[in-house]
Amino acid sequence: MSGYRVTHENEAKLIRQAQEGSATAFETLVRLFQTKVYNLAFRFLGNKEDAEDVAQETFVKAFRAIGGFKGQSKFYTWLFRIAYHQTVNHRRKKKPALSLDLKIGNSSSADFLLPSYEDNPGKRLEAEENKAELELALEQLPLDFRACLLLKEMEGLSYEEISQAIGIPLGTVRSRLHRARMELRRILEDS
Amino acid sequence: MNHSDLELLAAYFDRELPSWKRKKVFKLIQGSAEARARFRGFLKDHRGLRKLVIAEPTGALVKNTMARIHSPRFLQSKDYYSPTREVVLNPLFALSMAAGILVITCGISVYIFSSIKTLDQEASQAAAKNKTENALAQTKPSPAKEETPSAISQENTGKAKAEQVAKGSGKENPQNSLAKSPSNTVAGKGKSLNNNQEELPLTAPAMEVFSLVRVESTTPLVLKTLTANENEIKASLYSFTSKEKEIRLEIPAKDAGKAMAQLKAALAALKIQLLSDPVTSRRMRSPQWKTNYLLLVEDISTAELIALVLTAQTAPAGKDKEPSAAWDTVVVSKITANDRKQLKTMAGFSPEEIPMAPGEKTAPGFGEQKSKGSSELVGRKTALGLAYNPVRPALNSPEIKKFFEARKPIQKGNLQVLFLIRSDL
């Protein structure tokens, strides 16, 4: 993310300028939200190239539709909604591919910023294994469950925001989250 | 732990539980080892997920996105994204919409078709019936042809129809042919019906309906008693009372109690005694209670009514009180049947239960009551004042009885006046 300090006021200002057709303002918005959108797409698809395609498509569609954004929800919730639909469409179009990006013990990847365990190599290995197991378990979750869980746990959205982002009722969010947690725990315990 | 408990636990973990449900979760965590284990599991997964690596996009993402946005192809495109559009473009959605439209169209078509068919059948039945009736009327030997309205209309109908048929076909008069034809007999009636199913019923000018009827009614009068010229008010009231003898005066007043008190004072000046029950008197003394009153005055002349209307509003509302107007507008209209009905509901009698002039038929029981009239009110005119909203008068109160017993036949030319004094909220 860029060093641009985002506040509610300047986010609103940027959105307004983008709605008026300012590409520069929209570019700033892209820089602000690219990591979140990309990360979400990556967690959904498990593939860097696909995630980048989806993130790009999300922003292009967002630019087209920004005129219709009325501020009834938060901007990033609105953006996630587009990203989620894009991911679903992408998965529908493309055959599921085996991910090579997230493998157990793939600590050499430059993308991974792991905490230092140099003082205790045993602990480091255990932590890495746990993390890899969790990532694998996450990949095995159905997309609906995974979307709810990621938006809640990684993005910290509220039930209402998740409901707006995915376009499902509040009760369904609660139920899906609960079932996602149960399923994740079951997969982890089985492994 | 059941499914509902687990959902509650998860919602509590996510801080999405309302305070009134939290107590249940506290109890659950305290009382169940399984709940505690589940909670620890949630916490562990939460921490694990928070520690997952955040994937960073390459720098090309912004560059490529903006390049696409700036491309001429993109700028020319009128296409835009919306989640609704995504749904609409779904083939399943389109299919279900098409099916829905088809079902609705079929339903409307069937309805229209059946309606047309029913109308057609009715029209042909009516035409056949009309024709048969005409035929029977002409073939029936009539010794003395009485020209009753129905006979005339039937004849007119037959003639008109015959003329129309003759004009249309250029053939001989169907009346003659009808007399000769076998369908003219009762035996041929069925055949006649079948042959003439497509003909529409015809009507003569004498059969016209919804004709205009002159209705006599008096337009209500609005008098601005405070601002209007006195002569104008007098002229208006004389004009109105020349047409109507049963007058209803509606007075909107800020303080209806004060207006009532002023009317009472004005009545006293005309030597008319106001009879009112204790509830009405109490409400008149309490201006803080909004109350609506009715006042029935009978057998007064137009001059007395004018005096009442003009002097009442400036009469003092009580002893040692300065006169001030309690109202500025009076709406004058005719007492309606509904007014009488409502007065009967509240006071137990209707204003029409009294003869309008001496010698006219007396209302049932009126003579007996008159003979038993209260000695104190003999020879005096009385008026009845009642509070009717929000309190209702007692039906058989002594004041109502007194008024009813003291009633006299209204002199010819005199009026029966119902004042309605409403609190103008």
Side-chain angles (χ1 to χ4, degrees):
Chain A
M1 249 214 282
S2 72
Y4 190 90
R5 193 169 180 80
V6 64
T7 61
H8 184 71
E9 284 77 22
N10 57 30
E11 184 187 304
K13 194 177 166 187
L14 286 170
I15 292 164
R16 201 168 51 249
Q17 286 172 350
Q19 282 175 329
E20 285 163 5
S22 165
T24 320
F26 190 75
E27 189 175 342
T28 317
L29 285 171
V30 174
R31 286 185 195 284
L32 278 172
F33 292 101
Q34 61 169 335
T35 309
K36 285 191 170 200
V37 172
Y38 174 80
N39 192 45
L40 193 77
F42 180 67
R43 290 287 164 203
F44 283 160
L45 300 166
N47 180 297
K48 280 182 181 179
E49 284 74 33
D50 288 347
E52 192 130 341
D53 283 350
V54 164
Q56 205 181 107
E57 197 61 36
T58 300
F59 284 118
V60 168
K61 290 214 167 178
F63 187 71
R64 277 178 180 157
I66 200 161
F69 175 69
K70 289 179 180 126
Q72 287 166 345
S73 62
K74 287 180 181 169
F75 183 69
Y76 69 86
T77 314
W78 179 75
L79 212 53
F80 281 154
R81 187 169 188 178
I82 300 175
Y84 178 71
H85 283 291
Q86 279 307 114
T87 311
V88 172
N89 285 348
H90 191 89
R91 277 171 67 101
R92 201 183 291 149
K93 283 175 197 164
K94 254 192 145 182
K95 283 179 186 175
L98 191 66
S99 168
L100 297 171
D101 293 322
L102 290 171
K103 286 289 174 191
I104 300 171
N106 189 10
S107 57
S108 60
S109 171
D111 292 338
F112 293 177
L113 304 169
L114 293 172
S116 173
Y117 289 105
E118 278 176 10
D119 54 332
N120 194 337
K123 266 191 180 180
R124 174 183 173 155
L125 190 64
E126 192 187 334
E128 276 179 20
E129 277 179 357
N130 286 342
K131 201 170 284 181
E133 276 177 7
L134 194 60
E135 278 175 346
L136 268 182
L138 202 59
E139 272 193 57
Q140 286 177 47
L141 281 181
L143 187 66
D144 299 343
F145 289 2
R146 206 190 314 172
C148 284
L149 200 63
L150 287 174
L151 289 174
K152 179 72 204 165
E153 300 290 6
M154 293 189 81
E155 303 299 337
L157 299 193
S158 68
Y159 282 8
E160 198 178 344
E161 286 169 334
I162 297 171
S163 155
Q164 286 170 352
I166 305 181
I168 54 173
L170 211 64
T172 314
V173 173
R174 175 182 287 194
S175 162
R176 274 192 196 172
L177 255 175
H178 166 67
R179 286 165 66 190
R181 284 195 176 112
M182 293 291 123
E183 190 64 19
L184 187 74
R185 193 100 294 274
R186 189 190 61 75
I187 295 166
L188 287 171
E189 279 167 6
D190 286 354
S191 66
Chain B
M1 280 182 80
N2 56 25
H3 182 79
S4 164
D5 288 341
L6 280 170
E7 262 198 34
L8 270 181
L9 194 69
Y12 171 73
F13 180 77
D14 290 330
R15 296 178 184 178
E16 295 272 358
L17 210 58
S19 56
W20 58 277
K21 277 188 178 176
R22 278 183 211 147
K23 281 182 186 171
K24 194 180 174 186
V25 179
F26 290 155
K27 278 183 190 170
L28 201 68
I29 292 171
Q30 280 170 359
S32 163
E34 191 194 346
R36 285 195 291 275
R38 291 277 186 193
F39 195 82
R40 275 196 292 273
F42 288 162
L43 201 62
K44 190 181 171 188
D45 293 343
H46 169 73
R47 283 175 184 157
L49 286 166
R50 296 290 285 187
K51 278 180 189 170
L52 281 185
V53 175
I54 294 171
E56 288 279 349
T58 59
L61 176 61
V62 180
K63 197 179 160 188
N64 291 341
T65 306
M66 294 319 291
R68 276 184 66 183
I69 286 171
H70 285 298
S71 72
R73 194 181 155 198
F74 177 83
L75 292 173
Q76 282 167 8
S77 163
K78 286 178 183 174
D79 189 21
Y80 64 92
Y81 169 82
S82 79
T84 320
R85 193 167 158 271
E86 293 283 311
V87 175
V88 170
L89 288 177
N90 191 320
L92 270 175
F93 178 81
L95 207 65
S96 56
M97 281 300 289
I101 290 165
L102 196 69
V103 167
I104 292 165
T105 315
C106 287
I108 292 168
S109 307
V110 167
Y111 176 75
I112 291 170
F113 180 72
S114 61
S115 302
I116 291 169
K117 204 177 169 185
T118 314
L119 281 172
D120 203 24
Q121 276 177 356
E122 280 173 7
S124 56
Q125 278 173 7
K129 194 181 169 187
N130 200 17
K131 181 152 189 173
T132 315
E133 277 173 4
N134 285 337
L136 283 171
Q138 283 171 13
T139 51
K140 213 178 199 177
S142 52
K145 201 175 181 183
E146 289 177 10
E147 287 206 342
T148 58
S150 62
I152 292 167
S153 66
Q154 278 181 3
E155 196 180 342
N156 286 341
T157 315
K159 278 179 185 172
K161 190 174 70 183
E163 279 168 14
Q164 189 166 333
V165 172
K167 273 180 194 171
S169 61
K171 289 176 186 174
E172 63 175 323
N173 192 334
Q175 280 184 28
N176 301 334
S177 63
L178 201 67
K180 290 171 196 169
S181 73
S183 64
N184 200 18
T185 60
V186 178
K189 190 178 173 184
K191 203 177 172 184
S192 166
L193 275 170
N194 293 334
N195 289 342
N196 298 289
Q197 272 190 354
E198 285 180 10
E199 284 186 26
L200 291 170
L202 300 172
T203 56
M207 293 172 76
E208 180 57 49
V209 290
F210 301 116
S211 311
L212 288 173
V213 178
R214 181 177 287 278
V215 180
E216 293 293 341
S217 69
T218 317
T219 317
L221 195 65
V222 181
L223 298 177
K224 293 280 178 188
T225 53
L226 206 60
T227 51
N229 188 309
E230 195 177 315
N231 289 333
E232 278 177 22
I233 295 172
K234 280 181 185 173
S236 306
L237 277 173
Y238 269 116
S239 165
F240 194 88
T241 54
S242 66
K243 292 175 208 158
E244 299 295 343
K245 299 296 175 196
E246 296 161 354
I247 315 284
R248 167 189 155 132
L249 273 93
E250 186 139 347
I251 301 175
K254 277 185 183 170
D255 183 353
K258 183 183 168 186
M260 195 65 184
Q262 287 184 343
L263 278 168
K264 188 182 175 183
L267 284 168
L270 292 170
K271 294 184 180 172
I272 300 172
Q273 187 181 348
L274 178 68
L275 295 171
S276 55
D277 58 6
V279 178
T280 307
S281 305
R282 196 164 57 246
R283 306 256 343 162
M284 279 167 68
R285 285 194 300 272
S286 311
Q288 73 274 20
W289 298 340
K290 296 281 182 190
T291 314
N292 292 350
Y293 302 92
L294 69 89
L295 177 65
L296 184 65
V297 194
E298 288 177 337
D299 199 20
I300 58 166
S301 63
T302 309
E304 283 174 320
L305 175 67
I306 290 167
L308 207 56
V309 168
L310 290 177
T311 60
Q313 64 161 338
T314 50
K319 283 178 185 176
D320 309 325
K321 285 187 180 173
E322 286 295 314
S324 61
W327 69 83
D328 59 359
T329 308
V330 175
V331 182
V332 187
S333 57
K334 192 189 170 185
I335 295 178
T336 62
N338 191 41
D339 293 336
R340 290 198 191 96
K341 193 178 159 189
Q342 286 176 348
L343 191 63
K344 191 163 190 172
T345 314
M346 273 181 293
F349 67 91
S350 166
E352 67 188 336
E353 288 175 17
I354 191 164
M356 289 298 291
E360 282 187 19
K361 198 181 172 185
T362 314
F366 179 72
E368 295 159 32
Q369 282 158 351
K370 193 186 165 193
S371 63
K372 288 190 282 181
S374 179
S375 57
E376 62 192 80
L377 296 170
V378 169
R380 294 193 65 179
K381 278 187 184 175
T382 54
L384 180 67
L386 296 172
Y388 71 89
N389 198 10
V391 287
R392 288 274 192 266
L395 258 181
N396 296 312
S397 70
E399 288 76 20
I400 293 176
K401 277 184 183 169
K402 267 187 197 174
F403 176 78
F404 195 57
E405 284 166 9
R407 288 177 91 197
K408 289 173 193 167
I410 296 166
Q411 296 299 310
K412 201 169 184 180
N414 275 4
L415 311 168
Q416 189 174 48
V417 185
L418 176 67
F419 286 85
L420 293 170
I421 303 114
R422 294 185 201 275
S423 284
D424 187 11
L425 299 174

